[in-house]
Amino acid sequence: MNATERLLPADFAALAPFVEFWAADTAAARAHCRDISDEAGRAAFYNAAVDLVPQALAWLDARPLNGWDESEQRLMKLVLSFAHVALAVELHREEEPQHARNRPYMRITRAPADCER
Amino acid sequence: MSAQHQYQMSETEEALALGTGPLPAGPYYRDDYFALECEAIFKRTWLNIGHGCELPEPGSFIVRQFDFANASILITRDNDGNLGAFHNVCTHRGTQLTQEACGKRASFTCPYHGWTFNSNGDLRGAPDLERFYVEKKELGLNRVSVAVCAGLIFVNLDPSPRQSLREYLGVLGEQLETQPVASATTYSEYVYEIDGNWKITYDNFQENYHLRFIHARSGGGGAVGPENQFGYPEKYGFHGEHRTQKIWTNPAPQLSATQKLAFGKLVPALMQRGMMNAAHARDYYALFPNFFLIGTPTQHFTHYVMPISARKSRGVIRIYWVGDDMNASERFGREFSMAMARDVHAEDRAVIEAGQRGLNSGALKHIHLQSQEVLLRHLMHHVDAKVKAYQAELAAGGAQQ
């Protein structure tokens, strides 16, 4: 098993380059990742993940939430960050930098994913 | 827009009494009017501050700030499971008992001289208490009123409110009990501060006139459509001081790939929990003075706007959920639902502040409202009625100090 396979479940090794930046622990941190990302970074993550997210959810759904190993927990965090970045790429597009200026004022204080980590 | 979405003025006496004339602009930024609102409304009205799921067991507590009253309120669940609400103020010399926002403890000890209070507010003991010139039983924490409807906790700073919460909510109380929030066990939350009068802030969420301009992208194509380009509601309702909308939804929304995926992931879990057939799923409740709830199961949010000053407020938005995340798909759907709602509300906040800055100049003496902004008119009507009634009380010398 190489380092990449240990970082994420083997079927999702293509997402390994995005773990360091996008696999954040909390919803607020994931929203912040989106806020400070640049267009190229968002596009790269989105394009790599968009077809893998349904498979990743199916993989994780097949295992109990409290039984995930560290690689599966990282995969969940990446998928949750995808929820944020997809809004930028699919909806706001070229207006994302302008939209990002307003979002930090809406301070995320709680999310179910944070409570049950 | 098809005829069915044209707003028809309600024929209720209350709606007809609202009139059509412009509203004075001053109450939306003036300090003197705000001071009257605090006394006439916010210090004597039931205000939502949270949900019972935040106090899951005896000893659980939360603290809420009421800036408009310079008050910190401690809400507890006692050993019998009952909620209590008290000023977070030691009855010795006024020191705040706790600086924590929430937690669990059987008692609260004042850091100044060690007075200790039970979670039901009674003074348990104080060092050298026999040297005081007052009975221990008279030294319990100062109570405010607290009650629950649909799991939602409401506080009234008046310890002897003129109406119970149920009387205050009327028929809407029964409807709220049918909403998912009544059985919520957890929630997503985001909060904001805004340089905006509480009514200017709240009013933004009472009209759909702005949707196509401010939320052209973030709205996701569900709230407006070719046959209803402004997304006007199907129906308005007036219920005393409260009001409702039956929201219109686009039957053929242009959803993005991830919107389809995320909401598609939420629905199976919601169906399994029996949450997709709510009778009031498209109802949008506006409870006087500062609270909203929308019945939509996939984005079942509440929102309250708490005043800080005449031109500053704090908003708390929660999306309530029933049950812990069932699986990864539900967790993903919930995260997306919150992120999408937050995107929309971030746009609202920015434009509300711009509106407040304009009004603060005094350039406008009046505000003109169209028929589809009737809910704004209804709120202002009841605010002003409360303010005038309070002024009459003062004039008669009967106002409570």
Side-chain angles (χ1 to χ4, degrees):
Chain A
M1 183 180 289
N2 62 38
T4 298
E5 287 169 335
R6 285 194 298 273
L7 203 56
L8 292 170
D11 289 357
F12 307 98
L15 299 178
F18 303 101
V19 166
E20 183 175 358
F21 184 84
W22 291 102
D25 285 340
T26 65
R30 291 185 283 274
H32 182 64
C33 289
R34 174 189 169 192
D35 291 345
I36 64 173
S37 65
D38 59 26
E39 185 176 358
R42 289 189 296 273
F45 177 42
Y46 178 86
N47 291 333
V50 66
D51 291 333
L52 286 173
V53 164
Q55 298 171 42
L57 289 172
W59 170 281
L60 293 166
D61 283 350
R63 293 154 177 78
L65 283 167
N66 57 6
W68 293 336
D69 65 22
E70 289 188 7
S71 70
E72 290 160 341
Q73 291 174 28
R74 281 189 210 99
L75 180 62
M76 183 78 249
K77 291 173 189 171
L78 275 183
V79 171
L80 292 174
S81 272
F82 180 81
H84 294 265
V85 82
L87 289 164
V89 174
E90 296 177 354
L91 298 183
H92 295 292
R93 303 185 294 277
E94 76 279 6
E95 293 184 1
E96 170 67 8
Q98 180 183 344
H99 195 271
R101 288 200 290 271
N102 295 325
R103 286 197 307 268
Y105 295 106
M106 313 302 281
R107 195 162 50 84
I108 298 172
T109 48
R110 177 176 162 129
D114 301 348
C115 303
E116 299 163 21
R117 278 185 294 131
Chain B
M1 194 174 79
S2 64
Q4 66 175 321
H5 299 125
Q6 290 285 355
Y7 169 64
Q8 300 297 317
M9 179 64 83
S10 168
E11 293 182 355
T12 63
E13 183 178 341
E14 190 169 24
L16 290 170
L18 297 174
T20 57
L23 303 182
Y28 295 95
Y29 64 88
R30 275 183 9 219
D31 292 309
D32 57 340
Y33 197 87
F34 177 73
L36 288 166
E37 289 176 329
C38 290
E39 299 299 328
I41 299 170
F42 285 94
K43 290 185 180 178
R44 52 166 72 172
T45 302
W46 291 101
L47 303 171
N48 172 247
I49 53 84
H51 190 278
C53 69
E54 294 172 82
L55 300 108
E57 51 196 348
S60 298
F61 74 92
I62 56 176
V63 174
R64 294 289 187 268
Q65 304 304 320
F66 291 73
D67 297 86
F68 60 83
N70 291 317
S72 171
I73 301 298
L74 172 65
I75 299 104
T76 64
R77 192 178 292 282
D78 69 19
N79 289 334
D80 297 324
N82 298 316
L83 291 180
F86 315 92
H87 283 277
N88 178 23
V89 173
C90 178
T91 50
H92 175 211
R93 282 168 57 189
T95 307
Q96 289 195 333
L97 287 174
T98 180
Q99 304 298 317
E100 297 175 282
C102 62
K104 184 184 176 190
R105 57 173 64 179
S107 62
F108 297 87
T109 299
C110 179
Y112 204 172
H113 302 94
W115 285 35
T116 297
F117 300 85
N118 292 328
S119 55
N120 65 3
D122 291 343
L123 178 64
R124 176 188 293 180
D128 233 2
L129 184 62
E130 60 273 18
R131 293 184 183 275
F132 284 85
Y133 309 97
V134 61
E135 292 292 321
K136 178 182 170 186
K137 64 183 180 185
E138 297 176 30
L139 292 171
L141 295 176
N142 286 340
R143 287 182 178 274
V144 299
S145 300
V146 63
V148 175
C149 177
L152 296 163
I153 301 173
F154 291 79
V155 161
N156 190 324
L157 294 183
D158 184 346
S160 302
R162 299 171 185 201
Q163 290 178 297
S164 70
L165 175 63
R166 289 293 175 158
E167 291 168 341
Y168 181 66
L169 296 175
V171 295
L172 298 186
E174 294 173 16
Q175 291 186 25
L176 290 172
E177 291 285 6
T178 71
Q179 293 283 352
V181 71
S183 46
T185 59
T186 188
Y187 55 90
S188 310
E189 181 186 82
Y190 48 95
V191 303
Y192 63 92
E193 289 202 358
I194 184 169
D195 289 332
N197 175 273
W198 71 273
K199 299 186 299 299
I200 286 288
T201 305
Y202 189 83
D203 279 350
N204 175 79
F205 305 96
Q206 295 206 92
E207 52 90 356
N208 292 355
Y209 192 22
H210 72 280
L211 297 184
R212 62 183 292 187
F213 307 108
I214 303 303
H215 309 304
R217 298 189 179 199
S218 61
V224 300
E227 60 181 308
N228 188 356
Q229 295 179 10
F230 293 95
Y232 291 143
E234 293 186 0
K235 184 181 177 184
Y236 295 108
F238 302 95
H239 313 271
E241 296 158 5
H242 315 300
R243 62 212 81 89
T244 54
Q245 302 177 38
K246 178 77 73 181
I247 60 171
W248 179 86
T249 51
N250 187 347
Q254 301 296 309
L255 299 179
S256 73
T258 304
Q259 284 176 317
K260 291 177 187 171
L261 174 71
F263 288 116
K265 293 295 182 185
L266 270 180
V267 168
L270 288 166
M271 290 180 72
Q272 193 168 328
R273 300 181 197 279
M275 297 292 163
M276 286 302 288
N277 297 312
H280 301 287
R282 291 192 296 125
D283 286 349
Y284 188 49
Y285 298 86
L287 304 183
F288 186 84
N290 66 340
F291 175 82
F292 294 111
L293 178 143
I294 191 163
T296 311
T298 52
Q299 235 164 14
H300 187 52
F301 73 79
T302 66
H303 181 182
Y304 66 74
V305 181
M306 204 64 88
I308 295 175
S309 69
R311 294 171 297 278
K312 192 175 186 65
S313 305
R314 178 182 298 111
V316 176
I317 299 171
R318 289 181 169 186
I319 305 178
Y320 280 103
W321 306 109
V322 179
D324 292 342
D325 294 342
M326 194 176 286
N327 52 32
S329 284
E330 188 171 40
R331 180 166 292 179
F332 174 71
R334 288 175 172 184
E335 182 106 351
F336 183 86
S337 179
M338 175 190 67
M340 181 179 162
R342 176 174 173 262
D343 270 19
V344 174
H345 289 138
E347 295 164 347
D348 288 314
R349 183 188 172 281
V351 77
I352 293 165
E353 286 199 335
Q356 187 68 52
R357 288 194 297 272
L359 287 173
N360 291 347
S361 71
L364 292 189
K365 302 304 178 196
H366 292 90
I367 294 173
H368 294 276
L369 299 176
Q370 58 128 312
S371 64
Q372 296 279 351
E373 295 173 309
V374 67
L375 300 188
L376 287 63
R377 190 182 295 281
H378 185 263
L379 172 65
M380 190 63 237
H381 172 83
H382 282 283
V383 167
D384 205 49
K386 296 277 187 190
V387 166
K388 285 188 167 61
Y390 177 73
Q391 288 174 312
E393 282 182 30
L394 285 180
Q400 298 296 309
Q401 298 300 311

mmCIF file of all heavy atoms in Angstrom, chain B residues 13-45:
data_model
loop_
_atom_site.group_PDB
_atom_site.id
_atom_site.type_symbol
_atom_site.label_atom_id
_atom_site.label_comp_id
_atom_site.label_asym_id
_atom_site.label_seq_id
_atom_site.Cartn_x
_atom_site.Cartn_y
_atom_site.Cartn_z
ATOM 1 N N GLU B 13 -60.722 42.297 7.956
ATOM 2 C CA GLU B 13 -60.768 43.668 8.472
ATOM 3 C C GLU B 13 -59.360 44.177 8.763
ATOM 4 O O GLU B 13 -59.016 45.325 8.488
ATOM 5 C CB GLU B 13 -61.623 43.696 9.728
ATOM 6 C CG GLU B 13 -61.824 45.071 10.323
ATOM 7 C CD GLU B 13 -62.729 45.021 11.555
ATOM 8 O OE1 GLU B 13 -63.459 44.026 11.713
ATOM 9 O OE2 GLU B 13 -62.657 45.963 12.349
ATOM 10 N N GLU B 14 -58.532 43.278 9.266
ATOM 11 C CA GLU B 14 -57.184 43.672 9.644
ATOM 12 C C GLU B 14 -56.361 44.093 8.427
ATOM 13 O O GLU B 14 -55.637 45.090 8.457
ATOM 14 C CB GLU B 14 -56.501 42.506 10.362
ATOM 15 C CG GLU B 14 -55.189 42.879 10.999
ATOM 16 C CD GLU B 14 -54.690 41.777 11.918
ATOM 17 O OE1 GLU B 14 -55.091 40.620 11.699
ATOM 18 O OE2 GLU B 14 -53.925 42.081 12.830
ATOM 19 N N ALA B 15 -56.479 43.327 7.334
ATOM 20 C CA ALA B 15 -55.708 43.649 6.140
ATOM 21 C C ALA B 15 -56.197 44.932 5.491
ATOM 22 O O ALA B 15 -55.397 45.769 5.054
ATOM 23 C CB ALA B 15 -55.793 42.485 5.148
ATOM 24 N N LEU B 16 -57.495 45.107 5.428
ATOM 25 C CA LEU B 16 -58.049 46.312 4.811
ATOM 26 C C LEU B 16 -57.635 47.563 5.588
ATOM 27 O O LEU B 16 -57.445 48.637 5.014
ATOM 28 C CB LEU B 16 -59.578 46.211 4.738
ATOM 29 C CG LEU B 16 -60.113 45.168 3.741
ATOM 30 C CD1 LEU B 16 -61.614 44.977 3.930
ATOM 31 C CD2 LEU B 16 -59.811 45.591 2.308
ATOM 32 N N ALA B 17 -57.458 47.397 6.875
ATOM 33 C CA ALA B 17 -57.103 48.546 7.707
ATOM 34 C C ALA B 17 -55.669 49.013 7.483
ATOM 35 O O ALA B 17 -55.282 50.089 7.932
ATOM 36 C CB ALA B 17 -57.302 48.194 9.183
ATOM 37 N N LEU B 18 -54.887 48.217 6.780
ATOM 38 C CA LEU B 18 -53.474 48.572 6.596
ATOM 39 C C LEU B 18 -53.306 49.742 5.646
ATOM 40 O O LEU B 18 -52.288 50.435 5.691
ATOM 41 C CB LEU B 18 -52.694 47.360 6.075
ATOM 42 C CG LEU B 18 -52.655 46.149 7.009
ATOM 43 C CD1 LEU B 18 -51.969 44.967 6.324
ATOM 44 C CD2 LEU B 18 -51.936 46.507 8.304
ATOM 45 N N GLY B 19 -54.258 49.947 4.740
ATOM 46 C CA GLY B 19 -54.164 51.069 3.817
ATOM 47 C C GLY B 19 -53.130 50.847 2.732
ATOM 48 O O GLY B 19 -52.559 49.753 2.577
ATOM 49 N N THR B 20 -52.874 51.914 1.961
ATOM 50 C CA THR B 20 -51.944 51.819 0.833
ATOM 51 C C THR B 20 -50.948 52.976 0.807
ATOM 52 O O THR B 20 -50.112 53.056 -0.084
ATOM 53 C CB THR B 20 -52.718 51.812 -0.504
ATOM 54 O OG1 THR B 20 -53.534 52.998 -0.570
ATOM 55 C CG2 THR B 20 -53.594 50.574 -0.631
ATOM 56 N N GLY B 21 -51.027 53.849 1.759
ATOM 57 C CA GLY B 21 -50.181 55.037 1.743
ATOM 58 C C GLY B 21 -48.737 54.739 2.104
ATOM 59 O O GLY B 21 -48.413 53.656 2.600
ATOM 60 N N PRO B 22 -47.839 55.707 1.841
ATOM 61 C CA PRO B 22 -46.420 55.504 2.191
ATOM 62 C C PRO B 22 -46.233 55.473 3.705
ATOM 63 O O PRO B 22 -47.018 56.042 4.457
ATOM 64 C CB PRO B 22 -45.734 56.713 1.562
ATOM 65 C CG PRO B 22 -46.801 57.757 1.457
ATOM 66 C CD PRO B 22 -48.084 57.026 1.221
ATOM 67 N N LEU B 23 -45.162 54.783 4.137
ATOM 68 C CA LEU B 23 -44.852 54.680 5.565
ATOM 69 C C LEU B 23 -43.786 55.699 5.931
ATOM 70 O O LEU B 23 -42.852 55.924 5.141
ATOM 71 C CB LEU B 23 -44.344 53.279 5.908
ATOM 72 C CG LEU B 23 -45.243 52.095 5.567
ATOM 73 C CD1 LEU B 23 -44.575 50.793 6.023
ATOM 74 C CD2 LEU B 23 -46.609 52.242 6.210
ATOM 75 N N PRO B 24 -43.862 56.304 7.105
ATOM 76 C CA PRO B 24 -42.785 57.202 7.542
ATOM 77 C C PRO B 24 -41.462 56.441 7.628
ATOM 78 O O PRO B 24 -41.416 55.295 8.088
ATOM 79 C CB PRO B 24 -43.248 57.653 8.921
ATOM 80 C CG PRO B 24 -44.704 57.346 8.984
ATOM 81 C CD PRO B 24 -44.933 56.174 8.089
ATOM 82 N N ALA B 25 -40.368 57.076 7.203
ATOM 83 C CA ALA B 25 -39.066 56.401 7.198
ATOM 84 C C ALA B 25 -38.376 56.442 8.558
ATOM 85 O O ALA B 25 -37.548 55.590 8.867
ATOM 86 C CB ALA B 25 -38.162 57.040 6.137
ATOM 87 N N GLY B 26 -38.722 57.429 9.372
ATOM 88 C CA GLY B 26 -38.024 57.619 10.643
ATOM 89 C C GLY B 26 -37.957 56.390 11.540
ATOM 90 O O GLY B 26 -36.906 56.098 12.115
ATOM 91 N N PRO B 27 -39.066 55.643 11.690
ATOM 92 C CA PRO B 27 -39.012 54.470 12.581
ATOM 93 C C PRO B 27 -37.990 53.410 12.161
ATOM 94 O O PRO B 27 -37.714 52.504 12.929
ATOM 95 C CB PRO B 27 -40.442 53.910 12.475
ATOM 96 C CG PRO B 27 -41.279 55.109 12.191
ATOM 97 C CD PRO B 27 -40.442 55.958 11.267
ATOM 98 N N TYR B 28 -37.426 53.541 10.985
ATOM 99 C CA TYR B 28 -36.449 52.561 10.529
ATOM 100 C C TYR B 28 -35.007 52.966 10.847
ATOM 101 O O TYR B 28 -34.088 52.253 10.502
ATOM 102 C CB TYR B 28 -36.614 52.313 9.023
ATOM 103 C CG TYR B 28 -37.940 51.665 8.675
ATOM 104 C CD1 TYR B 28 -39.025 52.427 8.295
ATOM 105 C CD2 TYR B 28 -38.107 50.281 8.770
ATOM 106 C CE1 TYR B 28 -40.253 51.834 7.981
ATOM 107 C CE2 TYR B 28 -39.319 49.679 8.468
ATOM 108 C CZ TYR B 28 -40.389 50.465 8.079
ATOM 109 O OH TYR B 28 -41.600 49.878 7.789
ATOM 110 N N TYR B 29 -34.818 54.117 11.485
ATOM 111 C CA TYR B 29 -33.442 54.478 11.855
ATOM 112 C C TYR B 29 -33.340 55.373 13.101
ATOM 113 O O TYR B 29 -32.273 55.542 13.651
ATOM 114 C CB TYR B 29 -32.717 55.151 10.680
ATOM 115 C CG TYR B 29 -33.294 56.482 10.240
ATOM 116 C CD1 TYR B 29 -32.872 57.677 10.830
ATOM 117 C CD2 TYR B 29 -34.238 56.542 9.225
ATOM 118 C CE1 TYR B 29 -33.384 58.897 10.423
ATOM 119 C CE2 TYR B 29 -34.761 57.760 8.806
ATOM 120 C CZ TYR B 29 -34.334 58.925 9.408
ATOM 121 O OH TYR B 29 -34.863 60.137 9.003
ATOM 122 N N ARG B 30 -34.442 55.886 13.588
ATOM 123 C CA ARG B 30 -34.361 56.861 14.672
ATOM 124 C C ARG B 30 -34.157 56.202 16.035
ATOM 125 O O ARG B 30 -34.834 55.232 16.384
ATOM 126 C CB ARG B 30 -35.642 57.700 14.717
ATOM 127 C CG ARG B 30 -35.615 58.890 13.783
ATOM 128 C CD ARG B 30 -36.857 59.748 13.894
ATOM 129 N NE ARG B 30 -37.756 59.426 14.984
ATOM 130 C CZ ARG B 30 -39.085 59.452 14.883
ATOM 131 N NH1 ARG B 30 -39.646 59.754 13.731
ATOM 132 N NH2 ARG B 30 -39.833 59.152 15.919
ATOM 133 N N ASP B 31 -33.245 56.760 16.826
ATOM 134 C CA ASP B 31 -32.956 56.216 18.160
ATOM 135 C C ASP B 31 -34.167 56.323 19.101
ATOM 136 O O ASP B 31 -34.404 55.426 19.900
ATOM 137 C CB ASP B 31 -31.771 56.964 18.790
ATOM 138 C CG ASP B 31 -30.469 56.673 18.061
ATOM 139 O OD1 ASP B 31 -30.157 55.489 17.852
ATOM 140 O OD2 ASP B 31 -29.775 57.640 17.701
ATOM 141 N N ASP B 32 -34.890 57.434 19.020
ATOM 142 C CA ASP B 32 -35.994 57.613 19.962
ATOM 143 C C ASP B 32 -37.105 56.599 19.690
ATOM 144 O O ASP B 32 -37.704 56.050 20.624
ATOM 145 C CB ASP B 32 -36.536 59.049 19.914
ATOM 146 C CG ASP B 32 -37.007 59.465 18.534
ATOM 147 O OD1 ASP B 32 -36.590 58.828 17.537
ATOM 148 O OD2 ASP B 32 -37.799 60.416 18.432
ATOM 149 N N TYR B 33 -37.349 56.304 18.421
ATOM 150 C CA TYR B 33 -38.385 55.313 18.109
ATOM 151 C C TYR B 33 -37.939 53.918 18.558
ATOM 152 O O TYR B 33 -38.735 53.140 19.101
ATOM 153 C CB TYR B 33 -38.697 55.324 16.606
ATOM 154 C CG TYR B 33 -40.007 54.648 16.279
ATOM 155 C CD1 TYR B 33 -41.205 55.346 16.316
ATOM 156 C CD2 TYR B 33 -40.050 53.289 15.958
ATOM 157 C CE1 TYR B 33 -42.418 54.731 16.045
ATOM 158 C CE2 TYR B 33 -41.246 52.656 15.689
ATOM 159 C CZ TYR B 33 -42.430 53.385 15.723
ATOM 160 O OH TYR B 33 -43.623 52.756 15.458
ATOM 161 N N PHE B 34 -36.667 53.640 18.359
ATOM 162 C CA PHE B 34 -36.147 52.329 18.779
ATOM 163 C C PHE B 34 -36.282 52.139 20.294
ATOM 164 O O PHE B 34 -36.646 51.060 20.771
ATOM 165 C CB PHE B 34 -34.674 52.191 18.369
ATOM 166 C CG PHE B 34 -34.050 50.910 18.832
ATOM 167 C CD1 PHE B 34 -34.370 49.696 18.239
ATOM 168 C CD2 PHE B 34 -33.148 50.898 19.893
ATOM 169 C CE1 PHE B 34 -33.806 48.504 18.678
ATOM 170 C CE2 PHE B 34 -32.577 49.712 20.338
ATOM 171 C CZ PHE B 34 -32.915 48.514 19.721
ATOM 172 N N ALA B 35 -36.007 53.191 21.045
ATOM 173 C CA ALA B 35 -36.129 53.088 22.506
ATOM 174 C C ALA B 35 -37.567 52.745 22.899
ATOM 175 O O ALA B 35 -37.797 51.939 23.813
ATOM 176 C CB ALA B 35 -35.697 54.403 23.149
ATOM 177 N N LEU B 36 -38.514 53.322 22.188
ATOM 178 C CA LEU B 36 -39.918 52.999 22.462
ATOM 179 C C LEU B 36 -40.230 51.550 22.086
ATOM 180 O O LEU B 36 -40.957 50.848 22.807
ATOM 181 C CB LEU B 36 -40.835 53.955 21.698
ATOM 182 C CG LEU B 36 -40.889 55.394 22.224
ATOM 183 C CD1 LEU B 36 -41.537 56.323 21.213
ATOM 184 C CD2 LEU B 36 -41.633 55.438 23.558
ATOM 185 N N GLU B 37 -39.693 51.077 20.959
ATOM 186 C CA GLU B 37 -39.923 49.691 20.549
ATOM 187 C C GLU B 37 -39.411 48.705 21.601
ATOM 188 O O GLU B 37 -40.049 47.679 21.878
ATOM 189 C CB GLU B 37 -39.212 49.396 19.218
ATOM 190 C CG GLU B 37 -39.834 50.065 18.007
ATOM 191 C CD GLU B 37 -39.030 49.822 16.757
ATOM 192 O OE1 GLU B 37 -37.792 49.679 16.850
ATOM 193 O OE2 GLU B 37 -39.636 49.776 15.672
ATOM 194 N N CYS B 38 -38.269 49.025 22.169
ATOM 195 C CA CYS B 38 -37.706 48.112 23.181
ATOM 196 C C CYS B 38 -38.666 47.966 24.358
ATOM 197 O O CYS B 38 -38.896 46.849 24.844
ATOM 198 C CB CYS B 38 -36.349 48.630 23.661
ATOM 199 S SG CYS B 38 -35.070 48.514 22.411
ATOM 200 N N GLU B 39 -39.208 49.084 24.821
ATOM 201 C CA GLU B 39 -40.113 49.043 25.964
ATOM 202 C C GLU B 39 -41.474 48.458 25.578
ATOM 203 O O GLU B 39 -42.041 47.632 26.306
ATOM 204 C CB GLU B 39 -40.307 50.457 26.530
ATOM 205 C CG GLU B 39 -39.036 51.113 27.033
ATOM 206 C CD GLU B 39 -38.381 50.348 28.165
ATOM 207 O OE1 GLU B 39 -39.099 49.710 28.960
ATOM 208 O OE2 GLU B 39 -37.141 50.374 28.249
ATOM 209 N N ALA B 40 -41.985 48.890 24.444
ATOM 210 C CA ALA B 40 -43.362 48.529 24.063
ATOM 211 C C ALA B 40 -43.462 47.110 23.507
ATOM 212 O O ALA B 40 -44.532 46.494 23.573
ATOM 213 C CB ALA B 40 -43.878 49.519 23.013
ATOM 214 N N ILE B 41 -42.365 46.617 22.956
ATOM 215 C CA ILE B 41 -42.428 45.320 22.274
ATOM 216 C C ILE B 41 -41.439 44.321 22.873
ATOM 217 O O ILE B 41 -41.831 43.303 23.445
ATOM 218 C CB ILE B 41 -42.158 45.494 20.763
ATOM 219 C CG1 ILE B 41 -43.217 46.413 20.131
ATOM 220 C CG2 ILE B 41 -42.123 44.134 20.051
ATOM 221 C CD1 ILE B 41 -42.909 46.842 18.722
ATOM 222 N N PHE B 42 -40.159 44.591 22.723
ATOM 223 C CA PHE B 42 -39.182 43.535 22.992
ATOM 224 C C PHE B 42 -39.057 43.160 24.467
ATOM 225 O O PHE B 42 -38.714 42.020 24.777
ATOM 226 C CB PHE B 42 -37.812 43.914 22.395
ATOM 227 C CG PHE B 42 -37.798 43.761 20.899
ATOM 228 C CD1 PHE B 42 -38.075 44.829 20.073
ATOM 229 C CD2 PHE B 42 -37.566 42.527 20.326
ATOM 230 C CE1 PHE B 42 -38.100 44.685 18.697
ATOM 231 C CE2 PHE B 42 -37.595 42.359 18.958
ATOM 232 C CZ PHE B 42 -37.860 43.441 18.132
ATOM 233 N N LYS B 43 -39.353 44.063 25.361
ATOM 234 C CA LYS B 43 -39.263 43.716 26.784
ATOM 235 C C LYS B 43 -40.529 43.064 27.319
ATOM 236 O O LYS B 43 -40.591 42.698 28.494
ATOM 237 C CB LYS B 43 -38.932 44.967 27.616
ATOM 238 C CG LYS B 43 -37.506 45.468 27.402
ATOM 239 C CD LYS B 43 -37.215 46.630 28.338
ATOM 240 C CE LYS B 43 -35.793 47.148 28.125
ATOM 241 N NZ LYS B 43 -35.500 48.310 29.006
ATOM 242 N N ARG B 44 -41.544 42.894 26.456
ATOM 243 C CA ARG B 44 -42.808 42.326 26.949
ATOM 244 C C ARG B 44 -43.453 41.398 25.922
ATOM 245 O O ARG B 44 -44.674 41.233 25.940
ATOM 246 C CB ARG B 44 -43.767 43.446 27.346
ATOM 247 C CG ARG B 44 -43.973 44.492 26.264
ATOM 248 C CD ARG B 44 -45.153 45.386 26.541
ATOM 249 N NE ARG B 44 -44.940 46.332 27.626
ATOM 250 C CZ ARG B 44 -45.790 47.314 27.922
ATOM 251 N NH1 ARG B 44 -46.898 47.457 27.196
ATOM 252 N NH2 ARG B 44 -45.553 48.146 28.900
ATOM 253 N N THR B 45 -42.651 40.816 25.050
ATOM 254 C CA THR B 45 -43.192 39.947 23.999
ATOM 255 C C THR B 45 -42.430 38.624 24.005
ATOM 256 O O THR B 45 -41.238 38.584 24.320
ATOM 257 C CB THR B 45 -43.046 40.636 22.621
ATOM 258 O OG1 THR B 45 -43.724 41.884 22.661
ATOM 259 C CG2 THR B 45 -43.626 39.774 21.502
#
